[in-house]
Amino acid sequence: MEIFSSKSNHYLFTSESVGEGHPDKLCDQISDAILDACLELDPDAHVACETFATTNFVLIGGEISFRKNAKQNIKFIKKNAEKIARQVAKEIGYTSADYGLDCKKFKFMNRLHAQSADINQGVVGAGLAEFKGQQGAGDQGMMFGFACNETPALMPAPVYYAHKILLAASSLRKSGKINWLRPDAKSQVTIEYEGNKPLRIDTVVVSHQHDPEISYNEIKKTIIEQIIKPVLEPTGLLDENTKYHINPTGNFVIGGPDGDAGLTGRKIIVDTYGGMGRHGGGAFSGKDPSKVDRSAAYMARYIAKNIVAADLADRAEVQLAYAIGVPFPVSIMVETFGTEKVSISKIEAAVKSVFDCTPAGISETLNLRRPIYKPTASYGHFGRSEFPWEQTDKVDALKAAVRG
């Protein structure tokens, strides 16, 4: 058996996805549903909501604040948080304890409280005198965005196709076409590369929760023939040597929070680029756009995608970095891995002239202060055209700036 090394020009690269019913993704979706409810009440709401789930139990906690109608809005969220959490679980399909959680019967605890005044004063521009009146970053940190020309969405192929498999499985489960599927699921795709070019799909792994009476052979055949192949055959990357590992333990009946505890923000690589491209470490879900962990990561993706769409490079990675309370990035970096068509210095200069990377500018450019976040919390935050940071509307501006 030939062994491929990532240090050579010929190698294997693997990425995973998890479905909306994965315990961590349940928590991400509840946190983002709470965020959306806050933004519905006040576009200037500041939210950092975390969710924890285990057997028959869901806890939410964190910080929220409102600029307008603060007491009324906080009272509304505290009153409705449980209803929101139960609705999210119901929409995912957690309607029975047999599936890992019963949306009607789980125990619920709410520990949301007001945001720290020290953090808030920097965000709203009431901190140090030199930044008065200017929206500062909600925290320090560095964020990365990535794009490449491997797929139509300008996403890395392994994570893109891993998401597609689980999206297809979810559709078939919810439509009743495969009625023995349960909500919890994971996938993994390994692709053989030559340089930056995907050559073939080497291995596909799918672990999907199921009803107990279904035979393993039926599970394996159905997942391969009705889910995996319809998604991956159009890519032209499957071949007779592609390996399939379906429910490798042989049984996946116990799932959801009953099978494994869930926590907001624990699937950051699934949420981004599947490990292809760096990650600053900050999670997204439950955070309003004043938190640059989220908004700057979206902006970095927006910039990187427009660089590749403009054919300035085949691959692009953008790093943005911030200091808490400071209303502009402390650094902007562009890496193109030797695929650039013009000099990196020209690309970086064009990026700085075309994109407003201040926290306020990001929110304005991408129209982030609105309730759009719950749909981001499963199947990846990137590579899906419905999100504003996936637009390629700055291609002409970048080309013009590069020409000078």
Side-chain angles (χ1 to χ4, degrees):
M1 178 179 177
E2 184 177 1
I3 297 176
F4 298 94
S5 169
S6 60
K7 296 179 180 179
S8 72
N9 198 42
H10 207 215
Y11 58 95
L12 300 177
F13 193 93
T14 302
S15 296
E16 72 161 344
S17 177
V18 298
E20 66 205 73
H22 187 281
D24 294 331
K25 282 289 135 199
L26 165 69
C27 293
D28 285 344
Q29 289 167 90
I30 291 173
S31 293
D32 271 339
I34 297 291
L35 168 62
D36 281 348
C38 292
L39 293 174
E40 190 84 47
L41 296 170
D42 180 2
D44 292 315
H46 291 157
V47 181
C49 177
E50 310 286 344
T51 303
F52 168 75
T54 188
T55 301
N56 195 37
F57 180 74
V58 172
L59 162 71
I60 63 169
E63 304 81 47
I64 57 174
S65 66
F66 296 94
R67 283 199 183 185
K68 64 181 183 182
N69 303 323
K71 289 183 179 180
Q72 178 182 334
N73 287 340
I74 288 176
K75 183 178 179 181
F76 178 88
I77 293 299
K78 286 187 174 181
K79 179 181 178 181
N80 287 278
E82 181 174 351
K83 180 181 177 181
I84 292 168
R86 292 189 187 281
Q87 182 62 30
V88 169
K90 180 181 179 181
E91 290 173 0
I92 291 170
Y94 281 121
T95 56
S96 168
D98 290 340
Y99 299 166
L101 192 71
D102 187 330
C103 62
K104 294 181 179 179
K105 297 180 180 179
F106 64 75
K107 296 177 183 178
F108 179 80
M109 186 177 292
N110 182 352
R111 288 295 181 266
L112 291 171
H113 59 83
Q115 185 185 48
S116 158
D118 290 347
I119 293 174
N120 191 58
Q121 70 177 5
V123 175
V124 301
L128 296 176
E130 62 185 302
F131 305 132
K132 288 289 185 184
Q134 302 177 75
Q135 179 185 335
D139 203 352
Q140 70 176 43
M142 66 285 187
M143 300 82 208
F144 289 92
F146 183 83
C148 59
N149 59 8
E150 295 177 15
T151 62
L154 304 186
M155 283 288 287
V159 72
Y160 182 73
Y161 294 128
H163 288 321
K164 291 287 187 184
I165 289 168
L166 293 186
L167 276 165
S170 176
S171 177
L172 291 167
R173 172 175 64 89
K174 290 182 172 181
S175 70
K177 291 181 179 178
I178 307 179
N179 60 12
W180 43 262
L181 291 176
R182 292 181 172 184
D184 201 351
K186 302 179 80 170
S187 68
Q188 188 170 282
V189 174
T190 299
I191 292 184
E192 182 182 337
Y193 280 82
E194 184 171 15
N196 294 327
K197 182 182 178 182
L199 296 180
R200 55 180 293 274
I201 294 173
D202 183 82
T203 307
V204 182
V205 182
V206 174
S207 295
H208 209 300
Q209 189 186 14
H210 58 87
D211 288 350
E213 66 272 12
I214 308 302
S215 72
Y216 177 76
N217 287 338
E218 182 177 354
I219 292 167
K220 182 174 182 179
K221 180 180 178 181
T222 301
I223 288 176
I224 292 174
E225 298 300 328
Q226 295 188 39
I227 298 173
I228 295 173
K229 286 187 176 179
V231 170
L232 297 183
E233 280 181 338
T235 69
L237 297 173
L238 290 180
D239 62 27
E240 66 277 7
N241 294 316
T242 299
K243 298 180 285 293
Y244 301 94
H245 298 297
I246 310 302
N247 284 15
T249 65
N251 210 40
F252 188 3
V253 174
I254 301 170
D258 192 34
D260 191 12
L263 189 66
T264 298
R266 207 158 53 177
K267 285 290 177 285
I268 59 176
I269 301 304
V270 170
D271 285 344
T272 53
Y273 309 102
M276 192 177 291
R278 285 171 282 196
H279 196 294
F284 301 154
S285 289
K287 298 177 182 178
D288 74 87
S290 73
K291 279 73 171 175
V292 286
D293 272 351
R294 182 170 215 160
S295 57
Y298 291 167
M299 190 63 165
R301 162 65 178 173
Y302 181 52
I303 295 168
K305 187 171 183 180
N306 275 271
I307 289 170
V308 175
D311 199 31
L312 300 179
D314 294 335
R315 300 166 78 81
E317 184 178 74
V318 174
Q319 185 200 55
L320 304 175
Y322 295 85
I324 188 169
V326 178
F328 44 79
V330 299
S331 68
I332 300 174
M333 181 276 291
V334 177
E335 170 63 69
T336 53
F337 310 96
T339 69
E340 66 273 8
K341 313 297 175 65
V342 299
S343 70
I344 292 181
S345 61
K346 284 188 175 182
I347 297 173
E348 279 194 348
V351 165
K352 292 174 182 178
S353 69
V354 170
F355 297 95
D356 182 352
C357 294
T358 64
I362 293 170
S363 287
E364 181 69 24
T365 299
L366 299 178
N367 194 14
L368 296 181
R369 291 161 51 211
R370 55 197 175 105
I372 60 172
Y373 295 102
K374 180 177 171 287
T376 70
S378 51
Y379 309 112
H381 291 246
F382 306 121
R384 296 158 62 194
S385 60
E386 64 264 36
F387 302 141
W389 47 89
E390 293 297 316
Q391 299 175 80
T392 53
D393 55 344
K394 297 297 184 183
V395 165
D396 291 340
L398 276 174
K399 289 179 176 179
V402 165
R403 289 195 298 268

